Amino acid sequence: MWGWRSVSIAMLCIALSGAWPALAAEPVGQAVVIKTQVTGQSGPIEVDTSVHRNERIKTSPSGLGQFVFRDGTKLAVGWGSSVVIDKYVFDDSQSVKKLTIRAAKGTFRWVSGNSNSSAYQILTPAGTIGVRGTAFDFYVGPDGTTAVVLLNGAARFCGPGGCRQLQQRCDCVVAKPNGDMSAARRVDPGILATLGNQHALPFLSGNQRLAGGIGMLGGCNMASAAPERRDRNRPPPPASPDPQKQDPPPKQAEPQKERPHKPDKPHHDKPHHDRPHHDRPDRPDKHDGNDRPGNHSQNHGNDRDHRGHDRDHGGDRDHDKDRDRDHGRDRNHDKGRSFNRNR
């Protein structure tokens, strides 16, 4: 009987020992933003899901997770990333004695909480980031190459090749696992070519957008490296000339303002001034009247009544010609009478 009891106690101890790690894992923070797919040790992570010490957090190629730890520290995990909450020692004063995360690959943003700066430590394949009450972005490539960009406060990166101080906003350091390390200098879009990944540092370039106050940090003139920003800036130039191109059509309609029918109106209003051929039918009558010596003055009066003031230009010349013919006719008549008397 004691044998069975011993076996039962042993099996119970084994069961408790197997369940103890899961029961002992304490929550150290929770997820506040989840996009596409983010997974933890127990499966997919959703908003308000707790994260625990020693838990590995992974994001899909388009995933994004934002987390807040108990002391107010904020951590954003970008696409294709993997990070482990390595150490977390919490005290009763709403701060931590030790918070260490191990970043294996991907892109991240860190904002310190209420704890002492010495409590924070970030481990990468190329070295260790020492936090001094600060905010920064960092990227870990597949080969372990690490880039750190300071956004606020101060930080220090130490690796096999020594240490670099980041003291001014947008200072950047690039380090490799073999100890090669660049000097601290201002970051620019050329760093993406140095890292061999145009999708590195997406929070600075704008390829991934963060929510809340953590998303207000960044910039450093890296937005021009974002493909969607370049595409977004292209439409405005053609938009401004388009209204100007629509203005010329009214100018093409200007020939209608000439209205070729206007010059024709005087022909209808004053037909006798512009077309003297209307007077020609009257001339044969005047010619017939000249063949009869007694009818000249009568025809001349009829023509003057008929034309009125419309023959101001040619009436006087015709009248002078008729008068000269009348005088010549009178002289011939007088000559005829003198000739008859002489006979």
Side-chain angles (χ1 to χ4, degrees):
M1 184 172 177
W2 286 101
W4 286 106
R5 287 183 178 179
S6 300
V7 172
S8 299
I9 293 173
M11 292 179 63
L12 179 62
C13 292
I14 294 174
L16 292 175
S17 62
W20 179 253
L23 296 175
E26 59 176 326
V28 296
Q30 65 179 8
V32 293
V33 174
I34 297 294
K35 294 182 180 180
T36 62
Q37 185 176 4
V38 181
T39 58
Q41 189 164 350
S42 59
I45 298 177
E46 299 178 355
V47 176
D48 295 333
T49 298
S50 297
V51 291
H52 302 83
R53 182 171 56 86
N54 293 329
E55 184 175 10
R56 179 178 294 275
I57 300 171
K58 294 182 178 181
T59 59
S60 66
S62 60
L64 172 65
Q66 291 182 219
F67 303 90
V68 177
F69 294 96
R70 293 174 63 179
D71 71 328
T73 298
K74 298 178 179 63
L75 176 66
V77 184
W79 48 33
S81 301
S82 176
V83 62
V84 176
I85 304 172
D86 193 23
K87 295 179 181 180
Y88 190 94
V89 180
F90 188 75
D91 59 18
D92 296 334
S93 60
Q94 297 299 316
S95 63
V96 295
K97 294 180 179 180
K98 193 70 175 179
L99 173 57
T100 302
I101 67 171
R102 186 181 300 273
K105 65 174 183 176
T107 183
F108 310 87
R109 174 166 292 182
W110 171 279
V111 179
S112 298
N114 301 323
S115 303
N116 293 328
S117 298
S118 58
Y120 303 117
Q121 192 176 43
I122 299 173
L123 306 178
T124 73
T128 302
I129 304 174
V131 181
R132 297 184 177 180
T134 185
F136 53 84
D137 282 14
F138 64 100
Y139 167 79
V140 179
D143 62 349
T145 300
T146 301
V148 183
V149 180
L150 182 67
L151 301 178
N152 187 21
R156 182 177 66 175
F157 187 87
C158 294
C163 295
R164 297 289 187 270
Q165 302 291 333
L166 294 91
Q167 298 178 343
Q168 296 183 0
R169 173 177 166 79
C170 300
D171 276 354
C172 175
V173 169
V174 178
K176 293 182 177 295
N178 61 7
D180 292 342
M181 188 183 306
S182 69
R185 61 181 181 85
R186 185 176 179 83
V187 70
D188 58 57
I191 191 175
L192 301 181
T194 301
L195 298 175
N197 185 358
Q198 293 298 317
H199 298 288
L201 302 173
F203 307 141
L204 290 178
S205 64
N207 285 334
Q208 276 192 312
R209 299 187 180 278
L210 301 175
I214 191 173
M216 301 301 293
L217 301 171
C220 297
N221 296 324
M222 289 288 292
S224 60
E228 65 267 23
R229 289 295 180 89
R230 288 198 299 266
D231 296 340
R232 191 179 306 165
N233 293 335
R234 290 175 187 171
S240 56
D242 286 342
Q244 296 178 359
K245 292 180 180 179
Q246 295 177 358
D247 292 339
K251 294 182 180 180
Q252 295 177 357
E254 286 181 359
Q256 298 179 359
K257 296 179 181 179
E258 296 179 0
R259 295 184 180 179
H261 298 291
K262 282 186 176 181
D264 296 337
K265 289 183 179 180
H267 294 285
H268 298 287
D269 297 338
K270 297 179 181 180
H272 299 291
H273 285 287
D274 299 331
R275 292 182 295 179
H277 60 272
H278 290 288
D279 299 331
R280 291 177 184 175
D282 297 335
R283 290 180 182 176
D285 297 337
K286 183 166 59 176
H287 177 71
D288 294 340
N290 291 336
D291 293 339
R292 291 178 293 181
N295 294 332
H296 171 69
S297 60
Q298 181 178 358
N299 292 333
H300 181 69
N302 292 334
D303 293 337
R304 192 163 54 190
D305 295 337
H306 176 69
R307 296 168 186 170
H309 295 284
D310 296 335
R311 297 188 58 190
D312 293 338
H313 299 286
D316 293 338
R317 289 192 298 270
D318 294 338
H319 178 69
D320 292 339
K321 291 179 182 180
D322 294 340
R323 185 175 58 186
D324 292 339
R325 283 196 295 269
D326 291 340
H327 287 299
R329 196 176 295 114
D330 292 339
R331 286 194 298 271
N332 292 333
H333 180 67
D334 292 339
K335 288 179 183 181
R337 290 174 61 184
S338 299
F339 176 76
N340 293 328
R341 287 177 186 175
N342 294 332
R343 292 182 61 185

